[in-house]
PDB file of all heavy atoms in Angstrom:
ATOM      1  N   ALA A  24    -147.121-247.800-142.914  1.00  0.00           N
ATOM      2  CA  ALA A  24    -147.020-248.781-143.984  1.00  0.00           C
ATOM      3  C   ALA A  24    -148.358-249.465-144.199  1.00  0.00           C
ATOM      4  O   ALA A  24    -149.027-249.871-143.256  1.00  0.00           O
ATOM      5  CB  ALA A  24    -145.966-249.829-143.621  1.00  0.00           C
ATOM      6  N   ALA A  25    -148.765-249.564-145.476  1.00  0.00           N
ATOM      7  CA  ALA A  25    -150.039-250.187-145.798  1.00  0.00           C
ATOM      8  C   ALA A  25    -150.037-251.639-145.353  1.00  0.00           C
ATOM      9  O   ALA A  25    -149.048-252.345-145.471  1.00  0.00           O
ATOM     10  CB  ALA A  25    -150.285-250.090-147.314  1.00  0.00           C
ATOM     11  N   GLN A  26    -151.160-252.056-144.821  1.00  0.00           N
ATOM     12  CA  GLN A  26    -151.267-253.424-144.371  1.00  0.00           C
ATOM     13  C   GLN A  26    -152.700-253.876-144.551  1.00  0.00           C
ATOM     14  O   GLN A  26    -153.615-253.083-144.472  1.00  0.00           O
ATOM     15  CB  GLN A  26    -150.855-253.549-142.899  1.00  0.00           C
ATOM     16  CG  GLN A  26    -151.468-252.503-142.017  1.00  0.00           C
ATOM     17  CD  GLN A  26    -150.842-252.428-140.645  1.00  0.00           C
ATOM     18  OE1 GLN A  26    -150.852-253.388-139.910  1.00  0.00           O
ATOM     19  NE2 GLN A  26    -150.300-251.271-140.316  1.00  0.00           N
ATOM     20  N   ALA A  27    -152.858-255.167-144.843  1.00  0.00           N
ATOM     21  CA  ALA A  27    -154.193-255.715-145.071  1.00  0.00           C
ATOM     22  C   ALA A  27    -154.815-256.024-143.716  1.00  0.00           C
ATOM     23  O   ALA A  27    -154.538-257.048-143.111  1.00  0.00           O
ATOM     24  CB  ALA A  27    -154.112-256.964-145.932  1.00  0.00           C
ATOM     25  N   ASN A  28    -155.645-255.116-143.230  1.00  0.00           N
ATOM     26  CA  ASN A  28    -156.284-255.274-141.939  1.00  0.00           C
ATOM     27  C   ASN A  28    -157.694-254.722-142.002  1.00  0.00           C
ATOM     28  O   ASN A  28    -157.999-253.834-142.797  1.00  0.00           O
ATOM     29  CB  ASN A  28    -155.525-254.499-140.842  1.00  0.00           C
ATOM     30  CG  ASN A  28    -154.284-255.238-140.362  1.00  0.00           C
ATOM     31  OD1 ASN A  28    -154.359-256.402-140.002  1.00  0.00           O
ATOM     32  ND2 ASN A  28    -153.165-254.548-140.366  1.00  0.00           N
ATOM     33  N   GLU A  29    -158.525-255.246-141.164  1.00  0.00           N
ATOM     34  CA  GLU A  29    -159.837-254.650-140.971  1.00  0.00           C
ATOM     35  C   GLU A  29    -160.251-254.875-139.525  1.00  0.00           C
ATOM     36  O   GLU A  29    -159.902-255.881-138.911  1.00  0.00           O
ATOM     37  CB  GLU A  29    -160.871-255.234-141.921  1.00  0.00           C
ATOM     38  CG  GLU A  29    -161.068-256.735-141.817  1.00  0.00           C
ATOM     39  CD  GLU A  29    -162.087-257.236-142.839  1.00  0.00           C
ATOM     40  OE1 GLU A  29    -161.772-257.201-144.037  1.00  0.00           O
ATOM     41  OE2 GLU A  29    -163.189-257.633-142.407  1.00  0.00           O
ATOM     42  N   PHE A  30    -160.934-253.882-138.973  1.00  0.00           N
ATOM     43  CA  PHE A  30    -161.380-254.022-137.601  1.00  0.00           C
ATOM     44  C   PHE A  30    -162.584-253.131-137.356  1.00  0.00           C
ATOM     45  O   PHE A  30    -162.900-252.246-138.158  1.00  0.00           O
ATOM     46  CB  PHE A  30    -160.261-253.691-136.606  1.00  0.00           C
ATOM     47  CG  PHE A  30    -159.823-252.252-136.586  1.00  0.00           C
ATOM     48  CD1 PHE A  30    -160.434-251.318-135.748  1.00  0.00           C
ATOM     49  CD2 PHE A  30    -158.781-251.814-137.406  1.00  0.00           C
ATOM     50  CE1 PHE A  30    -160.032-249.994-135.727  1.00  0.00           C
ATOM     51  CE2 PHE A  30    -158.367-250.487-137.391  1.00  0.00           C
ATOM     52  CZ  PHE A  30    -158.991-249.575-136.545  1.00  0.00           C
ATOM     53  N   VAL A  31    -163.250-253.383-136.242  1.00  0.00           N
ATOM     54  CA  VAL A  31    -164.425-252.614-135.848  1.00  0.00           C
ATOM     55  C   VAL A  31    -164.020-251.580-134.798  1.00  0.00           C
ATOM     56  O   VAL A  31    -163.267-251.886-133.878  1.00  0.00           O
ATOM     57  CB  VAL A  31    -165.520-253.538-135.277  1.00  0.00           C
ATOM     58  CG1 VAL A  31    -166.672-252.717-134.697  1.00  0.00           C
ATOM     59  CG2 VAL A  31    -166.035-254.488-136.355  1.00  0.00           C
ATOM     60  N   MET A  32    -164.507-250.359-134.962  1.00  0.00           N
ATOM     61  CA  MET A  32    -164.317-249.317-133.965  1.00  0.00           C
ATOM     62  C   MET A  32    -165.703-248.962-133.408  1.00  0.00           C
ATOM     63  O   MET A  32    -166.574-248.493-134.143  1.00  0.00           O
ATOM     64  CB  MET A  32    -163.647-248.082-134.566  1.00  0.00           C
ATOM     65  CG  MET A  32    -163.455-246.945-133.572  1.00  0.00           C
ATOM     66  SD  MET A  32    -162.334-245.651-134.179  1.00  0.00           S
ATOM     67  CE  MET A  32    -163.224-245.068-135.632  1.00  0.00           C
ATOM     68  N   ALA A  33    -165.905-249.203-132.124  1.00  0.00           N
ATOM     69  CA  ALA A  33    -167.201-248.939-131.506  1.00  0.00           C
ATOM     70  C   ALA A  33    -167.286-247.484-131.067  1.00  0.00           C
ATOM     71  O   ALA A  33    -166.386-246.975-130.394  1.00  0.00           O
ATOM     72  CB  ALA A  33    -167.408-249.873-130.317  1.00  0.00           C
ATOM     73  N   THR A  34    -168.359-246.808-131.424  1.00  0.00           N
ATOM     74  CA  THR A  34    -168.532-245.402-131.082  1.00  0.00           C
ATOM     75  C   THR A  34    -169.768-245.242-130.188  1.00  0.00           C
ATOM     76  O   THR A  34    -169.839-245.819-129.120  1.00  0.00           O
ATOM     77  CB  THR A  34    -168.643-244.549-132.351  1.00  0.00           C
ATOM     78  OG1 THR A  34    -169.750-245.004-133.152  1.00  0.00           O
ATOM     79  CG2 THR A  34    -167.366-244.656-133.175  1.00  0.00           C
TER      80      THR A  34
END
Side-chain angles (χ1 to χ4, degrees):
Q26 47 193 300
N28 281 308
E29 59 182 69
F30 67 89
V31 173
M32 179 167 62
T34 58

